[in-house]
Amino acid sequence: MQTHTATTPFGRRPMSLGMIASQVAAQSAAPDATVHKWHVFRDIKEARLALGASDRALAILDALLSFHPETALYGDSALIVWPSNEMLTGRANGMSPATLRRHLANLVECGLIVRRDSPNGKRYARKGQGGEVEQAYGFDLSPIVARANEFKELAEAMRAEKKAYKLVKERLTICRRDIVKMIEAGIEEGVPGNWGGVHLEYQAIVGRLPRTAPRQVLEAIATELDDLWTQIRDVLESFVKSQNLNANESQTKRHIQNSNTESKNESERGLGTKKEKSGSPGESDNLRSLPKRELPLGIVLDACPNLLWLVKGGGGIRNWRDFLTAADLARPVLGISPSAWEDARVALGEQQAAITIAAIYQKSDHIKSPGGYLRNLTERAKEGKFSTWPMIMALLRAKLDAAKAAGAGVTEAEGELGAAQRLDRTQKRLEVSDNLRKSINKWDRET
């Protein structure tokens, strides 16, 4: 008896070119082709993302394969299985009927199975007199055999992609670790360089790294980090070589000394010869005449308003705790190493060290190496030759002088009234009392 193979779906499900393509692929299986169904299923699981199959759909495919009695699938054999929805649900861990239908449709769309629907949409098999199946309606597993090589290639490609993704993640992790530690080493060892700028560049690159990104994005960011790594490594290696060369020269020519103390790139430990108003040896006598009380927070903020820029949320600095938090934020921006910061806090005290950081941040444009400057001030503090009062007073004096210069520079066209108003607004922003002005003038006379 001649039978007809169903090619269209039952009911309202439409026919599509994708279904026809899947049916053509199922018919292209070589008659002598033989595959191990579980080996092919393993390849399909590896390549599921490339195929577009969901996890639940693969659980249903696993159940469908289990209904075929043979482990080996042959290209010239009937590969139709006809389990009911109840049986499929049982083997698919109790999946709901609606979910089952949705993921069966996903398997059909991916070309992993072909529907062979009966006239009434039921799944069953008609057997002959000898018990052999003459006609079956259900799900055709022929694509598993016909596309076995394709699934294997896709699985190998996905495994290679996963390996490449893992390697680039490892590369990123190691590169980030190396860069951070090399920057810290450069700061700690006093290697000349703009380490604060390098750290900001590193943060800018890492800041573009999304939480989940494809391998191509990670490769691009890793390449940028590699370039930065190479630059930092070259600087450190050049410094090491120069140190070794200088050590060898000093053994034979000890009378040759480097007198260039104003190098553009001064290291942290090489700034001991730099004299500032806040820490010169001539000021040690004047330190005895400074007020014994602590600097008020309002005066410090008047002298160091730039620190307010680092406070997030616009909450401002309301107390010393907020001030210490802002100082902790300013420290890495200036490129000051954790060890230099810790030494300063031990020598000066946490509050005085924070005031020093704020002052350095205020005039960072005029300080070539903030880390070396802080170490210099820390050493002077250990000798009792440094106080934050002169530094803050100097900043306030510079601010007042700038305000007076702005008022004196008003042109006649602006009028005396406009100049007076501008000067008045400037002085109000400074919020400096008469007593503080007297203290500043007294300090200037003494120094």
Side-chain angles (χ1 to χ4, degrees), residues 182-205:
M182 285 193 299
I183 291 175
E184 291 180 353
I187 296 173
E188 291 286 345
E189 299 296 334
V191 179
N194 184 15
W195 296 110
V198 174
H199 189 264
L200 290 177
E201 182 180 355
Y202 163 74
Q203 288 182 328
I205 297 175

Side-chain angles (χ1 to χ4, degrees), residues 126-191:
R126 183 182 297 110
K127 298 182 179 180
Q129 295 181 352
E132 296 181 356
V133 176
E134 293 182 349
Q135 182 68 38
Y137 297 100
F139 300 106
D140 191 350
L141 303 178
S142 298
I144 302 296
V145 180
R147 302 177 62 187
N149 291 332
E150 177 189 350
F151 296 148
K152 185 176 182 179
E153 292 175 359
L154 285 175
E156 291 176 353
M158 292 300 296
R159 283 192 287 267
E161 179 67 20
K162 288 181 180 179
K163 182 178 179 180
Y165 187 84
K166 181 179 180 181
L167 290 176
V168 73
K169 290 283 286 184
E170 293 177 353
R171 176 183 166 195
L172 273 175
T173 301
I174 294 175
C175 195
R176 291 176 64 178
R177 181 186 67 196
D178 287 353
I179 289 175
V180 170
K181 293 198 174 184
M182 285 193 299
I183 291 175
E184 291 180 353
I187 296 173
E188 291 286 345
E189 299 296 334
V191 179

Side-chain angles (χ1 to χ4, degrees), residues 59-76:
I60 296 174
L61 181 60
D62 186 9
L64 289 174
L65 288 173
S66 68
F67 283 104
H68 192 278
E70 301 294 334
T71 301
L73 303 180
Y74 303 96
D76 58 350

Side-chain angles (χ1 to χ4, degrees), residues 185-195 239 243 258 260-274 335 337 340 367-376:
I187 296 173
E188 291 286 345
E189 299 296 334
V191 179
N194 184 15
W195 296 110
F239 181 76
Q243 291 295 102
N258 183 13
N260 182 15
T261 60
E262 296 296 330
S263 175
K264 183 176 181 179
N265 293 323
E266 292 175 302
S267 65
E268 288 190 5
R269 302 182 187 276
L271 292 178
T273 59
K274 187 173 182 180
S337 64
I367 299 177
K368 299 174 183 177
S369 178
Y373 186 41
L374 180 62
R375 286 189 182 277
N376 185 23

Side-chain angles (χ1 to χ4, degrees), residues 102-149:
R102 185 170 65 253
H103 291 294
L104 279 172
N106 179 241
L107 291 176
V108 175
E109 291 173 0
C110 296
L112 297 175
I113 61 175
V114 176
R115 286 183 181 275
R116 305 295 186 188
D117 289 343
S118 65
N120 61 0
K122 301 294 184 180
R123 302 181 202 121
Y124 60 89
R126 183 182 297 110
K127 298 182 179 180
Q129 295 181 352
E132 296 181 356
V133 176
E134 293 182 349
Q135 182 68 38
Y137 297 100
F139 300 106
D140 191 350
L141 303 178
S142 298
I144 302 296
V145 180
R147 302 177 62 187
N149 291 332

